[in-house]
Amino acid sequence: QVRNGRAKAAANLQRPVIAPLWAAGLSFSRCHAEKRVPNDIHLKHVFNGEEFSRGARLWTHGYDIYSPSRAYIG
């Protein structure tokens, strides 16, 4: 089930805002984030929950996560 009830909260923002969560399906960055913050080697074959771990690892390594300022698809 796709939940999109809060999408209106991010519609037509003046600029991107800092977001609390990271999503793999909506992640765009330069490749240095992948090189500097690899996936946790102790979490082999993890898919469910991987986004929480990845987001926490990125944030604790100094990366900020932003929501898009407008809808790019749909």
Side-chain angles (χ1 to χ4, degrees):
Q1 174 182 357
V2 175
R3 291 172 287 166
N4 203 18
R6 296 293 301 158
K8 291 179 184 174
N12 301 315
L13 296 172
Q14 295 298 315
R15 62 179 191 231
V17 295
I18 291 183
L21 301 172
W22 178 82
L26 190 63
S27 176
F28 306 95
S29 65
R30 297 181 186 263
C31 66
H32 60 73
E34 293 296 323
K35 291 179 179 179
R36 294 179 186 163
V37 188
N39 286 324
D40 188 343
I41 62 171
H42 300 290
L43 297 177
K44 295 187 183 295
H45 310 294
V46 171
F47 184 76
N48 290 336
E50 154 274 326
E51 291 176 323
F52 296 107
S53 171
R54 186 84 175 127
R57 289 175 62 80
L58 287 166
W59 187 77
T60 58
H61 280 79
Y63 289 90
D64 290 327
I65 300 164
Y66 292 89
S67 68
S69 56
R70 66 178 180 87
Y72 289 92
I73 301 172

